[in-house]
Amino acid sequence: EIVLTQSPGTLSLSPGERATLSCRASQSVTNNFLAWYQQKPGQAPRLLIYGASIRVIGIPDRFSGSGSGTDFTLTISRLEPEDFAVYYCLQYADSPTFGLGAKLEVK
Amino acid sequence: QLQLQESGPGLVKPSETLSLTCSVSGGSISSSNYYWDWIRQPPGKGLEWIGSFYYGGSTYYNSSLKSRVTISVDTSKNQFSLKLSSVTAADTAVYYCAVGGGIAVSHSWGHGTLVTVSS
């Protein structure tokens, strides 16, 4: 099983700032089969990125994904108020596993 | 635009079988080139993939749950279902059905349904 470790666990930033969230895999993620989800309280997760860097249609371009192998990053270039949420990475190269999540909160 | 809706009992007794159904609208479950997923989230915790099926007969299960899980499809009703046997309190969670182009890579989700395991 591929274990995903997300860091930091909580990130405190202000609107307008840049957010960088990390996801590290316990072994290489084949074909960069790595996705990112956003989840707000009481809502289902929303798919943002798949294939490590492919943005889902309709997702604002301030969201970007990068990385390969075992190290992946989700970057939000300029935070909007609606971006404060919990973010999960998912690997689907092997039996799918999620990271524990990273909370992005207002500073 | 595919829409999904989970239904089933909100309370299940320990050792019994949890049964949920996901009703699909906006498209046919049998004609779409998609993976249909069940994913759960214990209260206050993270996400766990339970299993998926790909129309054409392939079914995939989380190895940690495989001995207790069955995912099936009813094309006549445009629904797919989850059965989880021998439940314990650890199976208490919000259960989501979802669909997407890859296993657990889901672009459309149901709202989720909370299932509590308690006597």
Side-chain angles (χ1 to χ4, degrees), chain B residues 51-95:
Chain B
S52 307
F53 83 87
Y54 183 78
Y55 195 79
S58 299
T59 308
Y60 309 87
Y61 296 126
N62 185 324
S63 59
S64 68
L65 300 170
K66 188 173 184 177
S67 64
R68 299 194 291 131
V69 173
T70 303
I71 294 175
S72 59
V73 182
D74 187 338
T75 55
S76 66
K77 295 181 179 179
N78 219 33
Q79 295 175 336
F80 64 109
S81 298
L82 169 71
K83 290 189 185 299
L84 180 66
S85 64
S86 304
V87 297
T88 69
D91 295 310
T92 293
V94 175
Y95 285 76

Side-chain angles (χ1 to χ4, degrees), chain A residues 52-63:
Chain A
S53 62
I54 303 170
R55 198 166 42 245
V56 172
I57 293 172
I59 299 301
D61 61 7
R62 64 180 180 273
F63 290 90

Side-chain angles (χ1 to χ4, degrees), chain A residues 20-101:
Chain A
T20 303
L21 302 176
S22 172
C23 179
R24 177 163 291 178
S26 60
Q27 57 188 276
S28 184
V29 178
T30 310
N31 298 319
N32 289 339
F33 280 174
L34 193 287
W36 290 94
Y37 282 96
Q38 176 194 69
Q39 188 178 34
K40 297 179 181 179
Q43 296 185 16
R46 178 172 71 146
L47 181 65
L48 303 174
I49 302 281
Y50 62 96
S53 62
I54 303 170
R55 198 166 42 245
V56 172
I57 293 172
I59 299 301
D61 61 7
R62 64 180 180 273
F63 290 90
S64 63
S66 62
S68 64
T70 60
D71 291 306
F72 299 88
T73 301
L74 175 69
T75 301
I76 311 171
S77 58
R78 286 180 57 86
L79 286 166
E80 296 287 342
E82 61 268 27
D83 298 336
F84 293 91
V86 177
Y87 292 84
Y88 293 94
C89 56
L90 160 78
Q91 68 78 22
Y92 53 102
D94 193 9
S95 184
T97 51
F98 290 89
L100 293 180

